[in-house]
Amino acid sequence: MRFGLSDEQKMLDESVRGFLSRALPLDEVRRLAAAGSGYDAALANGLTEQGVTGIIVLEEYGGVGLGMVEAVVVAEALGYAAAPFGFAGACVMAPLAIAKAGDDGARSELLGGIAAGERRVAVDFSALAGTTGAAELTLDGDRLSGTVQNLLDPGAATDLLVALADGRMALVEADAAGVKFGLRKTVDRTRPLGTASFDGATARLLDGGRDVAKDVLQAGRLIIAADSLGAGQRMIDQAVAYANEREQFGRKIGSFQAVKHTCSELVGMLEPCRSLIWYAGYAREHGMEDAPLTILHAKSHLGEITREVSRMATEVHGGMGFTDLLGLHFWFKRITFDRQVLGGPERCRSEAATLQGWAAA
Amino acid sequence: MRFGLSDEQKMLDESVRGFLSRALPLDEVRRLAAAGSGYDAALANGLTEQGVTGIIVLEEYGGVGLGMVEAVVVAEALGYAAAPFGFAGACVMAPLAIAKAGDDGARSELLGGIAAGERRVAVDFSALAGTTGAAELTLDGDRLSGTVQNLLDPGAATDLLVALADGRMALVEADAAGVKFGLRKTVDRTRPLGTASFDGATARLLDGGRDVAKDVLQAGRLIIAADSLGAGQRMIDQAVAYANEREQFGRKIGSFQAVKHTCSELVGMLEPCRSLIWYAGYAREHGMEDAPLTILHAKSHLGEITREVSRMATEVHGGMGFTDLLGLHFWFKRITFDRQVLGGPERCRSEAATLQGWAAA
Amino acid sequence: MDLEYSDRHKALQQELREFAAKEGHRSPKSGGGRKRPDRKTLDWQALLLERGYFARTIPKEYGGYGAEPDVVEAAIIADEFNKAGLYPGIMNQGISMLVPTLLEVGREDQKKQWVETTIRGETIWCQGYSEPGSGSDLAAARTRADLDGDHFVVNGQKIWTSSAHYADMMFLLCRTEPDKPKHEGLSYLLLSMKTPGIEVRPLTTMTGRAEFNETFFTNVRVPASQIVMGRGEGWRVANVTLKYERMLLGDPNKLLYRLSRIRDLMERTAVDGVRMLDLPEYRERLLKLQGEALAWKYHGMRLLTDMANDVDSGVRRLIVKYVGTMMGHRLSSLAVDVLGAAGLSYDPQGEDKDDDEATTWHIDYMYDIGLIIGGGTSQIQKNIIGERGLGLPREPKTQAAAR
Amino acid sequence: MDLEYSDRHKALQQELREFAAKEGHRSPKSGGGRKRPDRKTLDWQALLLERGYFARTIPKEYGGYGAEPDVVEAAIIADEFNKAGLYPGIMNQGISMLVPTLLEVGREDQKKQWVETTIRGETIWCQGYSEPGSGSDLAAARTRADLDGDHFVVNGQKIWTSSAHYADMMFLLCRTEPDKPKHEGLSYLLLSMKTPGIEVRPLTTMTGRAEFNETFFTNVRVPASQIVMGRGEGWRVANVTLKYERMLLGDPNKLLYRLSRIRDLMERTAVDGVRMLDLPEYRERLLKLQGEALAWKYHGMRLLTDMANDVDSGVRRLIVKYVGTMMGHRLSSLAVDVLGAAGLSYDPQGEDKDDDEATTWHIDYMYDIGLIIGGGTSQIQKNIIGERGLGLPREPKTQAAAR
């Protein structure tokens, strides 16, 4: 009986973090951010070797066959590294949607490619997530029309998975006829969003009902929350290190209560979030009754906390935090992005109220 | 052209504050709080001599004939002193209601008594204010029935003024037949609330329409906000003095950034509130268009700010702030009271939204 | 992560439900902690100890149940007691603070002598730490204990001795080595409150109740053997106690319980005919706090796991008191707002009686400030988190202090 | 309190409305402050100066309008310009910071030389204060200026010199008396950016734009007469400038304008067909900020009155920068949330072009952090408020620093 990572989970964590810290020194983050595609073949291959692309894909389909606890561990590591890599949509929501709502044919055709890093699926669930820029889609038989603006993980996408407001999901190939697909730069240069317009494009219908689509959305929200946890932790670690190093007024600035107490507050805010994320992953994996509620709170609470963390940790760095020089802003922007996608804190709390019968649906 | 008090207003301020600081040393506050009636004849007589009871009553009725700026100045002074004295209801809302909705007879009969400190009118506007414990009242001709729970300024009340949900107001004598009137102790021992039940009691109808009743309510809210400003300022002054005096770890605690910065944050929060209160008083007095909005914000913003002030200023005092010894808690409780009566911050903001057309009425 | 119920857990859950059905009527309504437990409470406590629903992991030789630590078991017990509305057992300073301290650093004979009677609720302890001149600066304690033969002779004054007026015993931080540097001159003594020379005076707080005392010592003789660890090691022992006190002050179960009470209150309370729960401005506050409290709940489970596995939780533990007490205040703030004007009523009934709902919440709202301050203020906690938890440099010695 | 419009005020209001109708078409869309004003902006600025809608209270001999200070007049002008959507005039560091500094402590010849061309927008200034090693500890500046005959010779490096790449002049804080204690060894020089030996390198910030520069000085010769006040008095002059900078950074009009833009945005933005303004969780945040911003507006009017009456505003002024910049960040935070996922687009166009709405808000959201830090961080501001404003004791000298 244990609340915490197993030895295997710790090994996974160390392995992925080790790889990322080697693969993504600050200069490399900077280079990839400047390119702005949200995808780098070498990085993606390395992560594929780490098992990241197939983390939740069953072994029979060529995946690693692990669960949501492992997925949040990976997500935190990716956030910590500000990795220009699409995970929440491409490696969690997409395979989950296919596994839950696809037929045997879809599963065997698609999941292996995802696990192998060959298929990269951008995902838009705005029609269900309560975001601005909602998807406007119609599906007539297998013909998809309409537009989306918030495709997660569009970098080098081979396929696009979109959810309709009624819970049907549709998968189309990115280069299919009738599809116009492009990237839009976001404030987080490590992760663009995608836009697409569909004009009667041929789609594969994944219809597991609205509950399945919402469940896929919840999984994505949890992963995004875990990503922001990693980004927040990185900012705190950098703030503490800077406070231990920078001198002003003849002293290490960390010896001033103003700075020291800020660092203490940061840890007081963020550290409990890790347990919330772990528990939500565990509850989701084991189909526990409180999983959806916990995930909604994970997304909203992390959104609130990491915003404060991103400001306060930057403040600890003084003017240097505001420059491009230390690269601290990559994590600031990562946090900015994570807060807004798949539904912000207000939206997730509002759903949590409905879920508990505290507000009318 | 001047944003600030005139010389006359400053003199009034100094005079009332001077009187209160002589009349209400901490021991006297303690004694009157223990008695708990919210009224003391000697104090009330002194304040009457200061012109406080007649501050907004026209000179032709025996009052001082001043306006809402002077009234907020007095209210701040009363809050600063934690004076066990009913001002918002008895000396502002009541004479305002009579002046605005009473006929000539009512005015000449009642206003002089209020100004002279002989008539003390407890006031309940819960039916309009959006508080818990709302008034449940019916008025049949001149017969009042029902109950109220939140009578402001009930100490030694001679009359009770209640507002109905439709905006009619009724004035009954506290000892009239069919009236059961009593005090209930609140957490703020300097100010009880009153409860009353009416069983066909003879009432004097003051019907100026709903707008007049709401205007009276707004005046009361502004006065309560000004009271909490005074209480908050007192807590800050005491915190700063304590930080300059108490030593720990071989230093004045005010030399620690943790304490110093807390004091600075307190001033940063509260000081702009004074301008908001002054402006709201001025706008209300001169019938400016933005007066109601400003008052709603004054009540809600002061409620939020002074809660933080009450906690943080207590924290500066450490354990001593939590004891009864320094009496700091009288102001803490004053702030607690002011936040809840006549509609809390959430309610006032909600009204402000409606007023601006940001929300449906 | 491994939180699934094994067959053993399912059996425990079943057992608890049967226990609640069969024995639940014997539970006292509330046990206080502010007063000496009555007969009913003591009997209930004995029953809980026998069944292992209290002090479950304390070794049998000290009166506990002797079970292996298990986070899920602890959660199941808390949960079932909560659901059935059963009193979960006595929580006082002896049980929450002294017992774990003795188990960690006490002598064998001290554990034998004090743990069992304390967890049974028979021996009541109070804490002799703070002094009027040294609140945050605890190590500056000036209460003296001078060795005279085989006794210490104690002279001085303590403040915030919460249950001193009915306690049997005190754990006392005092200065036995006045010539040594501040932190090295302290010792930690256990003494009977019946020893001649002790005077207890009630201390009224902002709640209007005398929840605390000042305690005066005049030539109070304490056998020298009643020291925990050695002379000059009092600061170390005191820090062990503080560790447990700070855990207690941030207890997530208390906060979750409070949250559910506020939700109930919001369902029952209406303004202009609309339930507070249906007013989005209030509901949003409740939801924000629910998110915080859930994170805190799982953080608490993580800490329990650390403890069961003898892992040092480091900064995770150091944040508990600061974060937990602030959250408590935010919760009681919401409750007080929901009560609103009608709920400004305040009429505390004293230690032995139940208070009405509004009074109870206002007491909590004020007492929470006391908790933010007591046991080391938030400022002290943030020093500790930063220095011990994050390795940030201490404040340099000042010229004055260096003198 | 006296805020009523006299006949004179009503006339001014009328005059402004006629001005807007007749001359409004000549107003530039936005004037920047991040770039050199163009011809259209300079012409507009000249018109405003002529009418007294800018620099209204600056004496005529320095190119101003020479009016008596009047809070209501200032408010009417701001209000009418706001309503008509007219550009209110150039705001740059020369105008907001150097001009009031010179008017307060400059020599007569310096005022004559610099005030008029600066307020006309013809002379652009940048600020040479911070250095890489001394951000918060401004008085630790190490850039040297050694007297050589009738010139100072400047060597060193400055950072955060925002408009250095197109500025004509710099006001520079530098060390002229290296043997004197830290705060007494500084002087405040005015120098041309065309002087040989100055190198300006762009400094990119988190917004991705090069809003600032680093400026390097190698044997830069500055006539000794170009000093403001005397040698060793630079810290005093710098603090005058900082006073005005900090006022500027907390400008309530900017915050109110931002608030009204957010309200518009909330009317235009919808989620699932519901306007954000109709979502109570967002509306409540807007209302809270409106309350804060209104208090701030009237606080600003109070400060203007103080200034007009030569009253020292004390702590009221000292809070401006800290409170105003934090409020700015809370406002831009709400804007960024209202924009949501669709509004994550970010594509700054550089200094000379207009950015789209989402990009503009994200720039503000980040730039606000820079404002919280720049001009003295919030921590420094709180030291100043506590020590200068409230009379709290300074931190005692540390043993290390005392050495």
Side-chain angles (χ1 to χ4, degrees):
Chain A
M1 287 302 121
R2 189 184 56 250
F3 191 97
L5 301 184
S6 67
D7 289 343
E8 294 75 16
Q9 289 161 344
K10 283 181 191 158
M11 276 174 55
L12 171 72
D13 186 43
E14 279 162 30
S15 170
V16 174
R17 280 176 189 263
F19 167 76
L20 287 167
S21 75
R22 288 186 303 275
L24 288 173
L26 181 58
D27 282 350
E28 185 67 2
V29 173
R30 200 182 287 287
R31 188 182 72 81
L32 294 176
S37 71
Y39 180 81
D40 177 69
L43 178 70
N45 289 340
L47 287 167
T48 301
E49 278 167 33
Q50 291 284 328
V52 165
T53 45
I55 190 100
I56 66 156
V57 174
L58 289 179
E59 284 171 286
E60 58 185 292
Y61 299 115
V64 188
L66 293 172
M68 284 302 281
V69 177
E70 288 82 4
V72 297
V73 165
V74 168
E76 185 184 344
L78 291 166
Y80 194 88
F85 178 77
F87 182 65
C91 304
V92 176
M93 294 173 77
L96 204 57
I98 293 163
K100 289 219 163 192
D103 54 23
D104 283 346
R107 280 184 223 153
S108 37
E109 186 187 334
L110 303 169
L111 291 176
I114 290 174
E118 290 153 9
R119 275 188 185 265
R120 289 169 298 276
V121 187
V123 168
D124 194 312
F125 271 56
S126 301
L128 298 170
T131 54
T132 53
E136 289 174 10
L137 297 167
T138 55
L139 190 56
D140 186 7
D142 65 350
R143 298 287 164 175
L144 181 69
S145 295
T147 57
V148 292
Q149 299 175 49
N150 297 330
L151 279 159
L152 274 179
D153 307 339
T158 56
D159 299 82
L160 313 179
L161 173 68
V162 298
L164 281 76
D166 59 10
R168 284 179 299 164
M169 297 178 285
L171 188 70
V172 298
E173 291 177 13
D175 57 3
V179 176
K180 273 188 208 155
F181 164 58
L183 302 192
R184 64 182 175 99
K185 285 185 192 170
T186 76
V187 67
D188 175 7
R189 291 290 198 251
T190 66
R191 286 174 302 170
L193 288 171
T195 58
S197 66
F198 307 99
D199 183 10
T202 305
R204 187 194 296 258
L205 177 65
L206 298 174
D207 189 2
R210 202 175 146 90
D211 285 351
V212 165
K214 290 218 91 172
D215 178 63
V216 171
L217 170 63
Q218 301 297 26
R221 284 171 168 169
L222 175 59
I223 295 299
I224 291 288
D227 186 273
S228 69
L229 170 66
Q233 188 64 55
R234 174 67 170 260
M235 291 195 82
I236 294 177
D237 289 353
Q238 294 192 204
V240 170
Y242 193 78
N244 251 323
E245 173 189 300
R246 167 85 168 177
E247 295 196 6
Q248 291 273 278
F249 303 100
R251 292 163 51 178
K252 295 263 167 55
I253 62 170
S255 71
F256 287 103
Q257 284 188 326
V259 172
K260 182 184 297 174
H261 289 192
T262 300
C263 292
S264 301
E265 288 166 17
L266 290 171
V267 175
M269 290 192 289
L270 194 70
E271 190 57 39
C273 294
R274 182 163 291 109
S275 304
L276 179 63
I277 294 287
W278 284 356
Y279 180 82
Y282 183 88
R284 169 70 183 64
E285 186 60 29
H286 291 79
M288 290 164 74
E289 201 185 351
D290 58 354
L293 179 66
T294 318
I295 289 173
L296 288 167
H297 275 306
K299 179 71 168 73
S300 56
H301 187 57
L302 266 291
E304 302 289 10
I305 293 298
T306 54
R307 159 170 283 169
E308 289 298 296
V309 168
S310 70
R311 174 180 60 79
M312 291 163 67
T314 306
E315 278 192 66
V316 167
H317 288 78
M320 290 305 290
F322 181 57
T323 65
D324 176 54
L325 298 169
L326 301 179
L328 192 70
H329 62 91
F330 290 115
W331 288 269
F332 183 98
K333 293 164 180 171
R334 190 106 182 169
I335 286 170
T336 299
F337 180 100
D338 286 338
R339 180 177 169 107
Q340 305 302 343
V341 296
L342 299 182
E346 281 81 5
R347 165 68 180 212
C348 289
R349 281 193 294 268
S350 165
E351 289 187 27
T354 308
L355 187 66
Q356 297 175 91
W358 295 1
Chain B
M1 287 303 122
R2 192 184 52 251
F3 191 96
L5 302 184
S6 67
D7 289 343
E8 294 75 17
Q9 289 162 343
K10 283 182 193 160
M11 276 174 56
L12 171 72
D13 185 43
E14 279 162 31
S15 171
V16 174
R17 281 175 188 263
F19 166 76
L20 287 168
S21 76
R22 288 186 303 275
L24 289 173
L26 182 56
D27 282 349
E28 186 67 2
V29 173
R30 200 182 287 288
R31 187 182 73 82
L32 294 176
S37 72
Y39 180 82
D40 177 69
L43 178 69
N45 289 340
L47 286 167
T48 301
E49 278 167 34
Q50 290 285 326
V52 165
T53 46
I55 190 99
I56 66 156
V57 174
L58 290 178
E59 285 171 283
E60 57 185 293
Y61 299 116
V64 188
L66 293 172
M68 284 302 282
V69 175
E70 288 81 4
V72 297
V73 165
V74 168
E76 185 185 344
L78 291 166
Y80 194 88
F85 178 76
F87 183 65
C91 304
V92 176
M93 295 173 76
L96 205 56
I98 294 162
K100 289 219 163 193
D103 54 23
D104 284 348
R107 282 185 222 153
S108 37
E109 185 188 334
L110 303 169
L111 292 175
I114 289 174
E118 289 153 10
R119 275 190 186 264
R120 289 170 298 275
V121 187
V123 169
D124 194 311
F125 271 55
S126 301
L128 298 170
T131 55
T132 55
E136 289 174 9
L137 297 168
T138 55
L139 190 56
D140 185 9
D142 67 347
R143 297 289 165 173
L144 181 69
S145 294
T147 57
V148 292
Q149 299 174 49
N150 296 331
L151 279 158
L152 275 179
D153 307 339
T158 56
D159 300 81
L160 312 179
L161 174 68
V162 298
L164 281 75
D166 60 10
R168 284 178 299 164
M169 297 178 284
L171 188 69
V172 299
E173 291 178 11
D175 58 2
V179 176
K180 275 190 206 150
F181 164 56
L183 302 192
R184 65 181 174 99
K185 286 184 191 169
T186 76
V187 67
D188 175 7
R189 290 292 197 251
T190 66
R191 286 174 302 170
L193 288 171
T195 57
S197 66
F198 308 99
D199 183 11
T202 305
R204 187 194 295 257
L205 177 65
L206 298 174
D207 190 3
R210 201 175 147 89
D211 285 350
V212 166
K214 291 216 91 171
D215 178 64
V216 172
L217 169 63
Q218 301 296 26
R221 283 172 168 168
L222 175 58
I223 296 300
I224 291 289
D227 186 274
S228 69
L229 170 66
Q233 188 64 56
R234 176 65 169 261
M235 291 194 82
I236 294 177
D237 289 354
Q238 294 194 202
V240 170
Y242 193 78
N244 251 324
E245 174 189 300
R246 168 83 167 178
E247 296 195 6
Q248 292 273 278
F249 303 99
R251 292 162 53 177
K252 295 261 166 57
I253 62 169
S255 72
F256 287 102
Q257 283 187 327
V259 172
K260 182 183 297 173
H261 289 192
T262 301
C263 292
S264 301
E265 289 166 16
L266 290 171
V267 175
M269 291 192 289
L270 194 70
E271 190 57 39
C273 294
R274 181 163 291 110
S275 303
L276 179 64
I277 294 286
W278 285 356
Y279 181 81
Y282 183 88
R284 170 70 182 64
E285 186 61 28
H286 291 78
M288 290 164 74
E289 202 185 349
D290 58 354
L293 178 67
T294 317
I295 290 173
L296 289 167
H297 276 306
K299 179 71 169 73
S300 57
H301 187 56
L302 266 291
E304 303 289 10
I305 293 297
T306 54
R307 159 170 282 168
E308 288 299 295
V309 168
S310 70
R311 174 180 60 78
M312 290 163 67
T314 306
E315 279 191 65
V316 167
H317 287 78
M320 289 305 290
F322 182 59
T323 65
D324 176 56
L325 298 168
L326 301 180
L328 192 69
H329 61 91
F330 290 115
W331 288 269
F332 182 99
K333 293 164 180 171
R334 190 105 182 170
I335 286 169
T336 300
F337 180 101
D338 286 339
R339 180 177 168 108
Q340 305 302 341
V341 297
L342 299 182
E346 281 80 5
R347 167 68 180 212
C348 289
R349 281 192 294 267
S350 165
E351 289 187 27
T354 308
L355 188 67
Q356 296 175 92
W358 296 0
Chain C
M1 302 292 293
D2 181 5
L3 302 171
E4 277 188 296
Y5 287 7
S6 67
D7 289 345
R8 185 163 53 83
H9 291 117
K10 287 175 193 152
L12 175 65
Q13 194 175 41
Q14 188 52 37
E15 175 194 317
L16 280 155
R17 286 174 187 175
E18 284 162 19
F19 172 81
K22 192 171 152 214
E23 308 286 358
H25 66 281
R26 295 169 62 184
S27 170
K29 259 179 88 169
S30 73
R34 299 201 206 281
K35 60 186 178 191
R36 220 181 158 91
D38 57 15
R39 190 67 258 161
K40 185 170 186 180
T41 304
L42 290 172
D43 289 346
W44 179 251
Q45 185 80 357
L47 183 61
L48 299 189
L49 286 167
E50 183 194 322
R51 297 294 187 104
Y53 304 153
F54 193 90
R56 187 172 178 84
T57 59
I58 289 180
K60 286 205 164 154
E61 63 261 45
Y62 310 132
Y65 188 74
E68 288 297 306
D70 185 315
V71 180
V72 175
E73 283 187 2
I76 290 171
I77 295 170
D79 207 36
E80 294 298 326
F81 269 67
N82 219 338
K83 278 187 203 154
L86 300 185
Y87 178 57
I90 300 168
M91 270 295 150
N92 60 31
Q93 296 194 319
I95 291 171
S96 306
M97 292 153 63
L98 182 74
V99 163
T101 302
L102 286 183
L103 289 172
E104 186 168 332
V105 299
R107 285 198 315 263
E108 186 59 27
D109 66 301
Q110 290 170 330
K111 297 185 204 176
K112 284 264 168 58
Q113 185 174 5
W114 296 118
V115 173
E116 177 156 7
T117 63
T118 303
I119 61 177
R120 298 190 76 83
E122 291 157 8
T123 303
I124 306 294
W125 294 80
C126 62
Q127 178 191 43
Y129 274 23
S130 292
E131 299 182 7
S134 62
S136 288
D137 191 3
L138 204 58
R142 286 181 303 184
T143 291
R144 286 283 292 272
D146 299 310
L147 201 59
D148 176 27
D150 56 357
H151 278 70
F152 287 107
V153 181
V154 182
N155 281 285
Q157 181 188 352
K158 293 287 173 182
I159 194 171
W160 306 115
T161 45
S162 53
S163 41
H165 50 305
Y166 61 82
D168 306 295
M169 298 287 296
M170 170 183 275
F171 45 98
L172 173 74
L173 185 68
C174 53
R175 191 157 302 279
T176 53
E177 331 292 311
D179 302 329
K180 290 214 179 152
K182 181 161 133 176
H183 294 80
E184 296 162 33
L186 298 165
S187 294
Y188 191 101
L189 304 182
L190 310 178
L191 68 152
S192 166
M193 289 300 283
K194 297 189 185 69
T195 324
I198 298 179
E199 189 197 347
V200 175
R201 292 184 204 156
L203 179 67
T204 306
T205 73
M206 68 191 292
T207 67
R209 305 185 308 175
E211 291 131 331
F212 294 92
N213 302 281
E214 295 178 284
T215 304
F216 299 81
F217 303 85
T218 314
N219 295 324
V220 176
R221 297 184 67 83
V222 181
S225 65
Q226 289 177 203
I227 191 170
V228 180
M229 296 189 73
R231 285 178 60 166
E233 296 189 288
W235 182 242
R236 198 178 139 199
V237 185
N239 271 293
V240 174
T241 308
L242 283 171
K243 177 174 78 178
Y244 291 107
E245 176 172 20
R246 287 165 185 167
M247 295 283 279
L248 173 74
L249 291 174
D251 180 17
N253 287 318
K254 192 182 109 181
L255 299 174
L256 286 163
Y257 179 55
R258 209 180 249 200
L259 187 85
S260 75
R261 281 164 55 213
I262 297 173
R263 192 211 50 223
D264 292 348
L265 182 64
M266 287 173 67
E267 282 177 346
R268 283 185 280 114
T269 312
V271 166
D272 295 346
V274 181
R275 299 187 313 169
M276 299 293 259
L277 192 61
D278 295 329
L279 291 172
E281 298 85 357
Y282 290 91
R283 192 174 57 218
E284 173 82 343
R285 285 176 64 190
L286 181 70
L287 284 159
K288 279 187 183 168
L289 285 163
Q290 188 180 37
E292 286 186 53
L294 285 178
W296 201 233
K297 172 181 173 179
Y298 303 119
H299 186 70
M301 288 172 72
R302 193 175 172 205
L303 290 177
L304 286 175
T305 302
D306 286 347
M307 219 181 290
N309 295 333
D310 262 330
V311 169
D312 178 8
S313 305
V315 77
R316 292 198 287 282
R317 175 175 59 73
L318 298 177
I319 63 174
V320 167
K321 195 254 163 180
Y322 159 60
V323 175
T325 53
M326 286 297 291
M327 202 184 302
H329 183 69
R330 282 194 293 278
L331 281 160
S332 56
S333 298
L334 175 56
V336 158
D337 288 351
V338 170
L339 287 163
L344 282 169
S345 293
Y346 189 73
D347 198 12
Q349 297 299 306
E351 294 183 347
D352 296 334
K353 298 199 187 104
D354 289 335
D355 290 316
D356 63 74
E357 187 171 28
T359 301
T360 303
W361 278 117
H362 276 284
I363 287 175
D364 279 345
Y365 179 57
M366 290 185 277
Y367 202 84
D368 284 343
I369 309 254
L371 296 181
I372 288 170
I373 293 167
T377 65
S378 285
Q379 316 300 358
I380 297 289
Q381 301 304 316
K382 289 187 220 173
N383 275 347
I384 293 172
I385 297 165
E387 290 166 16
R388 297 190 210 159
L390 302 175
L392 291 170
R394 297 177 63 93
E395 216 157 345
K397 285 231 170 73
T398 62
Q399 286 177 288
R403 255 185 250 133
Chain D
M1 302 293 292
D2 181 4
L3 303 170
E4 277 188 297
Y5 287 7
S6 66
D7 289 345
R8 184 163 53 84
H9 292 117
K10 288 176 192 152
L12 175 64
Q13 194 175 42
Q14 189 53 36
E15 175 194 317
L16 280 154
R17 287 175 185 173
E18 285 161 18
F19 173 82
K22 192 172 154 215
E23 309 286 0
H25 66 280
R26 296 170 61 185
S27 169
K29 259 179 86 170
S30 73
R34 301 200 206 279
K35 60 186 178 190
R36 216 176 164 94
D38 57 16
R39 189 69 256 160
K40 184 170 186 180
T41 304
L42 289 172
D43 289 346
W44 179 251
Q45 184 80 357
L47 183 62
L48 300 188
L49 286 166
E50 182 193 323
R51 298 293 187 105
Y53 304 154
F54 193 90
R56 188 171 179 83
T57 59
I58 289 180
K60 287 204 163 156
E61 63 260 45
Y62 310 133
Y65 188 74
E68 286 298 305
D70 185 316
V71 180
V72 173
E73 283 187 3
I76 290 172
I77 295 170
D79 205 37
E80 294 298 326
F81 269 66
N82 218 337
K83 277 187 202 154
L86 301 184
Y87 177 56
I90 300 167
M91 271 296 150
N92 59 30
Q93 295 193 320
I95 291 171
S96 306
M97 291 154 63
L98 182 73
V99 163
T101 301
L102 286 183
L103 289 172
E104 187 168 331
V105 298
R107 287 197 315 264
E108 186 58 27
D109 65 302
Q110 290 170 330
K111 297 185 205 177
K112 285 264 167 58
Q113 183 173 5
W114 296 118
V115 172
E116 178 156 7
T117 64
T118 303
I119 61 178
R120 299 189 76 82
E122 291 157 7
T123 304
I124 306 294
W125 294 79
C126 62
Q127 179 191 43
Y129 273 23
S130 293
E131 300 182 7
S134 62
S136 287
D137 191 3
L138 204 59
R142 286 181 303 184
T143 292
R144 287 284 291 271
D146 299 309
L147 201 59
D148 176 28
D150 55 359
H151 278 72
F152 286 106
V153 181
V154 182
N155 282 284
Q157 179 188 353
K158 291 289 174 181
I159 194 171
W160 306 117
T161 44
S162 53
S163 41
H165 50 305
Y166 61 83
D168 306 295
M169 297 287 296
M170 170 182 276
F171 45 98
L172 172 74
L173 186 67
C174 52
R175 191 156 301 280
T176 53
E177 331 292 311
D179 301 331
K180 289 216 179 150
K182 179 161 136 175
H183 293 79
E184 296 161 35
L186 298 165
S187 294
Y188 190 101
L189 304 182
L190 310 178
L191 68 154
S192 165
M193 289 300 283
K194 295 188 186 68
T195 324
I198 298 179
E199 188 196 347
V200 176
R201 293 183 205 157
L203 178 68
T204 306
T205 73
M206 66 191 294
T207 66
R209 306 185 307 173
E211 290 131 332
F212 294 92
N213 303 282
E214 294 178 284
T215 304
F216 298 81
F217 302 84
T218 312
N219 295 325
V220 176
R221 297 183 67 83
V222 180
S225 65
Q226 290 178 201
I227 190 169
V228 180
M229 296 190 74
R231 285 178 59 166
E233 296 190 289
W235 182 242
R236 199 177 138 200
V237 185
N239 270 294
V240 174
T241 308
L242 282 170
K243 177 175 78 179
Y244 291 107
E245 176 172 20
R246 288 166 185 166
M247 296 282 281
L248 173 75
L249 291 174
D251 180 16
N253 287 318
K254 191 182 109 182
L255 299 174
L256 286 163
Y257 179 53
R258 210 180 248 199
L259 187 84
S260 75
R261 280 165 57 213
I262 297 173
R263 192 212 50 223
D264 292 349
L265 183 63
M266 287 173 65
E267 282 176 347
R268 282 185 279 114
T269 313
V271 166
D272 294 346
V274 182
R275 299 186 314 168
M276 300 293 260
L277 192 62
D278 294 330
L279 291 172
E281 299 85 357
Y282 290 91
R283 191 174 59 217
E284 174 82 344
R285 285 175 64 189
L286 182 70
L287 283 159
K288 278 186 184 170
L289 286 163
Q290 188 180 37
E292 286 186 55
L294 285 178
W296 202 232
K297 172 181 174 180
Y298 303 120
H299 186 71
M301 289 172 72
R302 193 174 172 206
L303 291 177
L304 287 175
T305 302
D306 286 346
M307 220 181 290
N309 296 333
D310 263 330
V311 168
D312 178 9
S313 304
V315 77
R316 293 199 286 282
R317 176 174 58 71
L318 298 176
I319 63 174
V320 167
K321 195 254 163 179
Y322 159 60
V323 175
T325 53
M326 287 296 292
M327 202 185 302
H329 183 70
R330 283 194 292 278
L331 282 159
S332 55
S333 298
L334 174 56
V336 158
D337 289 351
V338 170
L339 288 162
L344 281 170
S345 294
Y346 188 73
D347 198 12
Q349 297 299 305
E351 293 183 349
D352 296 334
K353 298 201 188 103
D354 289 335
D355 291 315
D356 64 73
E357 187 171 29
T359 299
T360 302
W361 277 117
H362 276 284
I363 287 176
D364 279 345
Y365 179 56
M366 290 186 276
Y367 203 82
D368 284 343
I369 309 256
L371 295 181
I372 289 170
I373 293 167
T377 65
S378 284
Q379 315 301 356
I380 297 289
Q381 300 304 316
K382 289 186 218 171
N383 274 347
I384 292 173
I385 298 165
E387 291 165 17
R388 296 190 210 159
L390 303 175
L392 291 170
R394 297 176 61 95
E395 218 157 342
K397 286 230 169 76
T398 62
Q399 286 177 290
R403 256 185 250 131

